[in-house]
Amino acid sequence: MSEATILRVAIDAPVMQAFDYLPPAQGQPRPGQRVLVPFRQGRRVGVVLDLATRSAVSPGRLRRTLAVLDTEPLLDASLMGLLGWAAGYYQHPPGEVFAAALPRLLRHGRDSTTGTLAWQITPAGVAAHAARQDARAPVQSRLLAALVAAGEALDADALGVLATRWQEAVRALEKRGWVERTRRDDAAPASGAAEEPPPPSAAQAAAVAGITASRGYRAWLLQGVTGSGKTEVYLRCIDAELAAGRQSLVLVPEIGLTPQLVERFRRRFPAAGIALLHSGLTDRQRLDAWVRARDGRAGIVIGTRSAVFAPLPRPGLIVVDEEHDASLKQQDGFRYSARDLAVWRAHQLGIPVVLGSATPSLESLANAQAGRYQRLSLPDRAGVARQPAVRLVDLRRHVAQDGLTPPLIEAIGRHLEAGGQVLLYLNRRGYAPTLLCPACGHCLECRRCDARLVLHRHEGRVACHHCGATRPASETCPQCGGTLYAVGQGTERLEAALDERFPDVRRVRIDRDTTRERGGMQRMLAEVASGTARLLLGTQMLTKGHDFPLVTLVGIIDADQGLFGTDFRASERLAQTFVQVCGRAGRGERPGEVYLQTHFPDHPLLQLLVREGYERFAEAALAERQAAGWPPFSYLALLRAEAPAREAALAFLTQAREAGEALDQRGVRLAGPAPAPMEKRAGRHRAQLLVETTTRPRLQRFLAAWRERLDALPAAGRTRWSLDVDPVELF
Ligand code: ADP
Ligand code: ZN
């Protein structure tokens, strides 16, 4: 069989197939091992997917594998299964899927050992030392004695102190089998006392009991308002897994992976070994964390979305925190949903998965209603905190100046007076989103995007928030020479207005402009936590994860931003943001208030949300989705195309549509092509074609057949295009 065997190798290239190679001159790699292969003019590192006896490539043209890089499979069968399935489900080139799962250093062929090289004594070495067989070699003798005395491996630094010519001696000892090489773990778990957990509430105890008693696959939807103690539930379940010798994987949104969260895990499990996987790591740190997960030294793996691909030899539990969060979906390249893959992975591994959120996605709620997920809820806030009271401020009756209405200004003053902290939410950075010339009606627009330029007054520039283009701000209209006016509010303008009205109150503004500097965010959060800063304003960045126990008033400056979005998910997102922002208020001992400014206080959605809460809103929103045939009652894929010329993008999509119409179309509807809602972006014209189906298998069957033909379309080479399966944003 060895003669006939062909290796099917995943190589990081935008090609839907794996590549076939002859095995190396010596040795036969197994699936999951990395190999070095000739590729086009150069060499590449790939992962062996499987072994085949036949290839579509003629035998004469098959090239030979140059080397096998791993002595053991780097990826186990279950991880290989996950990646293979993901490549098929998301219709993405397998080599790129494997590349997304591996740390860069492994992709580039580095070996997977980590830690510091060290030497330890073998039983034969102990015996030799006892018998003084080494008497004729004084340096070797000294090293052996030191290793016996140390009782652990010694590294180059330690051995170098014993003898200058230690390297020669150690090599001789290795040859005799008295000493062997090892790697010392530099990130060994710290010891120390574990923090005592608080006694669980009845709801927490019930949730923990349910999750830990379930063996085998089960998906739990843990719903609880912010501060209700969900993390505490995860910690208790993880504790049970650690006690049973199993690993837990915890996925968090990008913004949720704060030093505070990690500290909390470390304090609770000082001996567990925690591997962190996120985008802020150096390549070396990422490799170390990955390897510690893979060899089981890490009992807990915490990471952002790509950590769903972390290797877990002893898997016990998967947690997805803030499961509704959009950052769990990769939005470019290999567009996968880490939440959905986590559920698939738990199913495949036969272990429980916990999806936690104060505001579950409508998809997950529908899964719970259908009985696929089990619901658990934490109705009360932990400790003494209570839900805040909400007041709608009608912007038609109360005129806002720089974003602030008189009732809100009054409330800010009242809460500051009473010693509370105030949080103002406005999801738009900069000074003003529009520069308008009242004389001719001209608005300053980006030359490369269908978007207005935002004034950043402090920097004296206007900027496009879509392509990043900026230029010096000018006060004169380029069309008629009139004077430009700043229209609308951004956080910078709101900040200026607060400075004017509350000049003696210390405040911080948290948005992407003020937190660019490293550590800036942490410094501002510290000012808030200590109570030094009393006024707190910011964008989306403020609404997630952070706990502000001293905040007693939350003001939502413009609730209408999300009320009339083009996307069918706009209202769901508004509701989630609203609940998350409100969750910032009154988390401590004082009761909280929320002021929400809107032009549409009677909007049914707002009414439902404010009066009856997220749960009832979600029910109504799901009913609307069902009536309109949107997910989760249908299954979507979006084919996006962009090109410098509008015609090229549309031509590709038209050809794609024709190719789709030639296929089995039962239960499949193609909508478009149509220009994207923001058609021009960064100088490229964008268009899209929506695929809608009634069942998931139908979508999968259609996409598999369709995807093959897309590469071959005449216009494919002139456009940049991508396929997004289960898109979360429809543009
Ligand atoms: P969530 O993850 O739902 O936002 P956390 O688990 O972070 O909630 O809990 C919020 C706060 O309440 C934390 O400070 C936590 O230590 C505390 N807490 C959680 N559960 C309890 C409990 N049973 N008794 C006392 N305090 C608790
Ligand atoms: Zn632009």
Side-chain angles (χ1 to χ4, degrees), residues 221-276:
L221 181 60
L222 176 64
Q223 188 176 358
V225 297
T226 337
S228 62
K230 293 183 296 298
T231 308
E232 196 52 47
V233 170
Y234 310 150
L235 291 170
R236 283 181 175 268
C237 294
I238 290 167
D239 201 9
E241 295 302 327
L242 288 171
R246 290 186 294 256
Q247 294 171 292
S248 299
L249 170 64
V250 183
L251 299 179
V252 295
E254 263 151 28
I255 207 134
L257 192 58
T258 57
Q260 290 90 322
L261 179 87
V262 176
E263 257 320 292
R264 193 164 164 194
F265 273 75
R266 285 200 208 286
R267 280 199 310 272
R268 194 67 162 267
F269 306 115
I274 296 177
L276 286 181

Side-chain angles (χ1 to χ4, degrees), residues 178-200:
W178 293 352
V179 160
E180 65 189 8
R181 284 166 189 241
T182 177
R183 293 264 162 186
R184 202 185 49 210
D185 187 0
D186 295 323
S191 47
E195 188 176 81
E196 269 305 304

Side-chain angles (χ1 to χ4, degrees), residues 446-451 453 463-469 680-683:
C446 178
R447 295 190 191 101
R448 308 172 67 220
C449 306
D450 290 331
L453 291 172
C464 172
H465 287 184
H466 300 280
C467 71
K680 205 170 89 183
R681 181 167 175 168

